Amino acid sequence: MADVPRSAPRGAQHDAPLDALHDAPHDAAPPHRTRPDAPRDTPRRVAVAERAAPRGTGRGWAPSSRLLARAAALTAALTAVGALLGLVRDQLLAHEFGAGGGTDAFLVAWTVPEFAATLLIEDGMALVLVPAFAAALARRTDRDHGPGLRLDPVQALVRATLPKTVLGTGVAAALLALAAPGFVDLLAPGLPERRLAVDCTRLTATCLLSFALAGYCSAALRAHGRFLAPAAIYVAYNAGIIAAVLLLGPPGWGVRAAAAGVAAGGVLMVLIQAPVLWRHLRAPAAPPGAPAGQRPDASAPPPRLLLAALAPVVVFAVSRQSQVLVERFLAAPLPGGAISHLNYAQKVAQLPMVLSLMLCTVSFPVVARALAAGDTGTARRRAERDLLLAGVIVLVGAATVVAAAPQIVHLLFQRGAFDAADTAATATVMRVYALGLLGHTLVGALVRCYFSASRPLWYPAAAMLGGIALNAAAGGAWAGPFGAPGIAAANALGITVTAALLLFGLRRQSVPLDARGLVAGLLRLAAAAAVATAAGWWCAAGPPALAVALAATAVTAAFTATACALRAPLVPSLVRTANPFRRLAKART
């Protein structure tokens, strides 16, 4: 990774462009928009790293759309590699252990890293720390341009939060390892392989500490505009699990090898980020005239305020991940393999959602720093476009999943101990799960708008709790007559209601989105997805690989044509942008 040249001012180093993107694009901000204090010999690639914020809004961070697109592409590429390794991991588990009682025992212990990833990496830690680091970076910029602030606000934030994070999560990991038997009994009462589940839980408990450190590093790096190392964490994580299963699996440790891989993968996630973060946390030179040893400035948010902002985020993240707890609890009394079918179906069905949220992950620091600078217009425009674009991606993916679910599952998992009956059961559940993918994507994108201003907001947590209550009630009613598909349908219902509550409640919060306009656009996109699903279902014929390819092609073509006919948002402009003849003509011009 190339560093910003030392001749650049210190503030420019921390507001530099995204990883591997230091060369400025041709359509970036012109030279006259550079910072007034930049020396003349500062390279142009640093000068165009920022776009000036509107007057009176402070020093916002607004990288060009082209830079954000490249960062999103880089993040999506690494996420795709991580997801591919995740599929290899699941294929390996299915081949080695099938979908029986031993796999169910591991999946009960797998609840710990699933829960920890949401709370400590994806939602909880990121939603609190990205805005906090964004505000600290804004104050660091002010410090570099005036004598008001004396100490580095970023390092002050780290000193106030990192030791407490390590202590709290380390104690939690130790307590969970000790309480593993009670945890298993509470989560999956009547589980046949109870002892095996307890052993696996004690191994996976270590991820509470390692995931917390990984999430802390990811949030800090994203706030600095660095996305390469955070995007690679799941590559390292899944590689650790695969290596452990291959080295320690049958006939040695059995399914416990996968749990040991979870522990090893968590350590790898920290190791690939820590050196990068260390380079960015080194304090810049103090501004001229700053006395040594002074305390942090009074404008820095005190730890008490950060704790107040953390509480609703934790409740939201715990409530959201409780969907997994509800599903495992309701599926435990069902015939053996039900938990495994739900797990495999959910992992595959949620791939479109993961990819759709990559753009929101990249732009979240941009929205946070725009709000820190008082530029609500930039934050609103970016958030609205990201919501619609995420909707396009996830609806195309959901249509493909529904159209070719049996072929996808057959292609990915049907080998070894995973037989045709497991394929049929998993495909049915996967189709039902896909009905809630748009809701999951909207919840993941909208909650970033709520928490981007680093203020304690309880409405998202209340909406999520309402959705979980509906999920639990519907799942309890439908699990008996419908089995695992009924549990998946309850999940789709609960998350869709949560998304609706968050969308219509956002107008009074930090980013005043046009809820009615967004709903109208999403309904048109959903109508196009319905037509595309029918086209893909009709074309999904032949061997599994060919059927999936035909279905994906038909879904993409039908969705694009229908969305353009319905004048759905973004799709016509995306078609024009992707037109190679138009790009060639523009290049010649």
Side-chain angles (χ1 to χ4, degrees):
M1 183 187 308
D3 290 329
V4 178
R6 293 295 182 185
S7 59
R10 283 287 186 173
Q13 292 183 27
H14 294 280
D15 291 333
L18 312 167
D19 292 276
L21 307 178
H22 290 289
D23 293 330
H26 296 296
D27 61 346
H32 69 272
R33 298 185 70 178
T34 60
R35 288 203 297 257
D37 62 333
R40 292 185 177 180
D41 62 341
T42 299
R44 184 175 181 271
R45 60 183 182 176
V46 173
V48 298
E50 296 175 314
R51 289 186 177 180
R55 290 180 180 273
T57 61
R59 297 182 179 274
W61 180 56
S64 69
S65 296
R66 197 168 184 180
L67 281 175
L68 286 178
R70 291 183 182 180
L74 175 68
T75 303
L78 285 172
T79 301
V81 174
L84 180 61
L85 286 177
L87 288 177
V88 173
R89 174 204 68 205
D90 291 340
Q91 288 175 334
L92 184 61
L93 292 176
H95 181 270
E96 297 292 342
F97 311 114
T103 307
D104 285 353
F106 167 71
L107 291 175
V108 170
W110 181 267
T111 304
V112 178
E114 283 185 319
F115 207 95
T118 297
L119 180 61
L120 301 175
I121 299 177
E122 297 163 9
D123 282 349
M125 195 75 75
L127 293 175
V128 172
L129 288 180
V130 169
F133 274 104
L137 286 166
R139 291 193 303 275
R140 171 186 275 179
T141 303
D142 292 337
R143 170 183 177 269
D144 290 339
H145 294 275
L149 307 181
R150 305 303 184 186
L151 293 184
D152 179 35
V154 176
Q155 284 203 346
L157 177 62
V158 171
R159 287 196 297 268
T161 55
L162 183 57
K164 296 176 182 178
T165 299
V166 173
L167 178 62
T169 55
V171 171
L175 291 177
L176 178 58
L178 292 174
F183 174 82
V184 171
D185 292 337
L186 178 65
L187 187 60
L191 188 71
E193 298 285 350
R194 177 182 178 274
R195 174 72 184 193
L196 182 58
V198 170
D199 292 343
C200 291
T201 300
R202 284 177 171 150
L203 287 168
T204 59
T206 58
C207 72
L208 291 181
L209 175 58
S210 60
F211 280 27
L213 291 174
Y216 194 99
C217 293
S218 295
L221 287 172
R222 286 170 179 159
H224 281 82
R226 301 291 175 174
F227 296 92
L228 179 61
I233 59 175
Y234 288 111
V235 176
Y237 175 64
N238 287 319
I241 298 176
I242 292 170
V245 172
L246 291 175
L247 294 175
L248 303 176
W253 287 33
V255 78
R256 293 178 181 85
V262 170
V267 175
L268 291 176
M269 287 197 293
V270 179
L271 293 180
I272 65 172
Q273 295 184 100
V276 183
L277 180 60
W278 173 253
R279 290 200 299 268
H280 288 282
L281 291 184
R282 288 179 299 182
Q294 225 173 352
R295 297 177 62 83
D297 61 292
S299 64
R304 192 174 302 173
L305 179 60
L306 288 176
L307 290 176
L310 178 64
V313 173
V314 169
V315 174
F316 169 83
V318 170
S319 303
R320 186 181 182 189
Q321 193 58 28
S322 294
Q323 297 171 105
V324 177
L325 304 181
V326 170
E327 291 176 5
R328 302 270 163 87
F329 182 86
L330 294 174
L334 296 179
I339 295 178
S340 299
H341 297 148
L342 286 165
N343 172 73
Y344 290 126
Q346 186 183 62
K347 292 294 175 57
V348 178
Q350 287 191 351
L351 283 177
M353 179 200 72
V354 173
L355 293 177
S356 67
L357 287 176
M358 286 302 99
L359 183 63
C360 300
T361 300
V362 170
S363 63
F364 179 40
V366 180
V367 174
R369 292 180 72 169
L371 289 176
D375 187 5
T376 57
T378 296
R380 178 183 58 80
R381 289 188 297 273
R382 172 58 56 186
E384 289 180 348
R385 179 176 176 82
D386 289 352
L387 279 168
L388 291 172
L389 186 54
V392 170
I393 296 171
V394 76
L395 286 172
V396 172
T400 305
V401 166
V402 174
Q407 294 86 350
I408 293 173
V409 177
H410 184 283
L411 184 64
L412 294 177
F413 299 121
Q414 188 170 321
R415 57 186 58 85
F418 198 98
D419 56 22
D422 292 324
T423 295
T426 302
T428 301
V429 175
M430 194 164 75
R431 278 176 165 158
V432 180
Y433 264 135
L435 301 178
L437 284 181
L438 180 60
H440 281 286
T441 298
L442 291 178
V443 169
L446 288 169
V447 75
R448 288 166 167 80
C449 298
Y450 277 94
F451 294 121
S452 56
S454 192
R455 292 190 290 123
L457 297 174
W458 284 97
Y459 180 78
M464 193 69 241
L465 286 171
I468 286 296
L470 181 59
N471 182 5
W478 297 344
F482 302 112
I487 297 174
N491 178 287
L493 176 63
I495 200 65
T496 302
V497 170
T498 302
L501 292 173
L502 290 177
L503 182 59
F504 285 100
L506 194 60
R507 290 175 295 178
R508 302 183 299 272
Q509 304 301 335
S510 304
V511 186
L513 302 183
D514 179 12
R516 294 184 182 274
L518 287 171
V519 169
L522 289 171
L523 287 177
R524 293 183 182 183
L525 293 173
V531 174
T533 301
W537 197 311
W538 186 78
C539 293
L546 177 61
V548 172
L550 290 174
T553 302
V555 164
T556 303
F559 180 88
T560 302
T562 308
C564 290
L566 294 175
R567 296 182 180 179
L570 284 186
V571 177
S573 63
L574 291 175
V575 172
R576 289 192 298 269
T577 303
N579 188 337
F581 299 103
R582 183 176 181 273
R583 287 189 295 176
L584 180 60
K586 183 178 179 181
R588 289 177 176 175
T589 303

